[in-house]
Amino acid sequence: MRGSLAWWIAAGLVVGMVMAWRARFVSPYRAQVKQVVVRVPRKHRNLAGLTIAFVTDTHVGPHVAASDIEPVARSLEAIEPDLVLFGGDYICESPRFMASAAPVLGRMAAAARFGAWGVMGNHDLSNIRERVVPPLEAAGIRILTNGAVCVDTDRGALWIVGIDDGLLGEVDLDAAFSNVPPDGAAICLWHEGDRIEESAPYGAFLQLSGHSHGGQVR
Ligand SMILES: [Fe+2]
C-alpha cells in the first residue's frame, strides 16, 4: 500500500514538473490564433464581417526572441485581415530589442488590407517612448496616443481610438475621443483593460486590451 502511495506521489511530481516546464518554456512561445466573433451594434451592422487581428504583449526581449513571434506574422499573412491592431508591450527590458522586433511586427502590419495601428504598453514606456515609437512607425504601425483615426474600410468608416498607457503614460480620454462623432463606430485600444469603466461611457462598441496575458477578463 505504502509502495503504491509513493508511486502516485512520484507520478504526481513528474506530471507537475512537466506541466511547469511547458508553462515556462513551451506555451509562451507557441503562437495561437484565436478567432472571436464580436457582435456589432445594429446601427453599425455594415461593419459585420470585418476581420480585425489583435496582437498584444509580444514582449520581445531576453526571454522572447523575434523569431518566436514569426509564426504570428505567418498566420496573419495567411489570414490577410482587414486591420491589424496592436495592444502594446512590443518589447521589454531594453529598447535595443526594437531592432529585431520591428521587422517582424512590420510583417504583421503589412498583412492588413486597410492598415495597422497600435498603442503603447507599460513595458514600452519603461524603455523610453522615443526609442520605441519611431521604429514601429517606420515598420508601418501608427501609434495612437490619446488620439483617433477614421479608417475607411470597404464596409464603412471605423474609428480606432488609442489611449496612452494607463500605468506610465498620461491618459486623456477626452482628447482621445474628441474627434469621434457621437454616432461613429469606434474601437478603443488601451493596453490595460482594468479601467474600462472609465472608457466605456465614451461609446466605443469594443475595447481591445492586453497586459493581463490571457487572464483577469474573459
Ligand atoms: Fe503590460
Side-chain angles (χ1 to χ4, degrees):
M1 186 67 186
R2 187 175 293 170
S4 95
L5 181 64
W7 187 92
W8 280 110
I9 290 172
L13 279 173
V14 170
V15 169
M17 285 166 67
V18 170
M19 287 174 70
W21 175 80
R22 279 181 60 86
R24 172 63 184 86
F25 294 105
V26 178
S27 300
Y29 307 104
R30 185 167 287 171
Q32 287 185 345
V33 176
K34 281 190 185 173
Q35 284 202 358
V36 179
V37 176
V38 176
R39 252 178 218 278
V40 288
R42 184 177 287 269
K43 61 182 176 180
H44 303 313
R45 60 176 175 265
N46 53 299
L47 294 171
L50 203 70
T51 309
I52 299 172
F54 180 56
V55 181
T56 188
D57 294 84
T58 47
H59 282 270
V60 173
H63 306 295
V64 180
S67 58
D68 291 324
I69 62 170
E70 271 181 7
V72 181
R74 284 197 291 274
S75 295
L76 296 191
E77 285 163 352
I79 294 169
E80 296 181 331
D82 293 313
L83 290 132
V84 177
L85 301 178
F86 291 89
D89 279 3
Y90 308 86
I91 56 161
C92 61
E93 302 288 328
S94 165
R96 69 188 164 88
F97 291 108
M98 279 310 304
S100 59
V104 187
L105 294 166
R107 273 179 61 192
M108 299 180 201
R113 293 174 64 211
F114 297 107
W117 288 267
V119 288
M120 289 282 95
N122 54 306
H123 283 272
D124 306 313
L125 295 191
S126 66
N127 283 294
I128 311 173
R129 190 192 300 266
E130 292 73 19
R131 293 188 62 183
V132 176
V133 173
L136 291 173
E137 297 259 357
I141 302 165
R142 282 152 283 189
I143 299 300
L144 295 166
T145 305
N146 299 321
V149 63
C150 184
V151 185
D152 194 18
T153 78
D154 57 356
R155 295 171 194 271
L158 174 63
W159 287 84
I160 308 299
V161 184
I163 315 299
D164 200 12
D165 178 65
L167 289 175
L168 301 178
E170 292 186 19
V171 171
D172 190 338
L173 289 158
D174 285 341
F177 282 89
S178 61
N179 290 327
V180 181
D183 59 345
I187 292 177
C188 180
L189 272 183
W190 197 353
H191 180 65
E192 294 91 359
D194 53 349
R195 288 170 66 179
I196 194 164
E197 287 178 351
E198 292 173 51
S199 53
Y202 288 83
F205 70 84
L206 175 68
Q207 177 168 317
L208 297 173
S209 297
H211 187 64
S212 60
H213 297 205
Q216 298 174 3
V217 180
R218 294 273 180 197

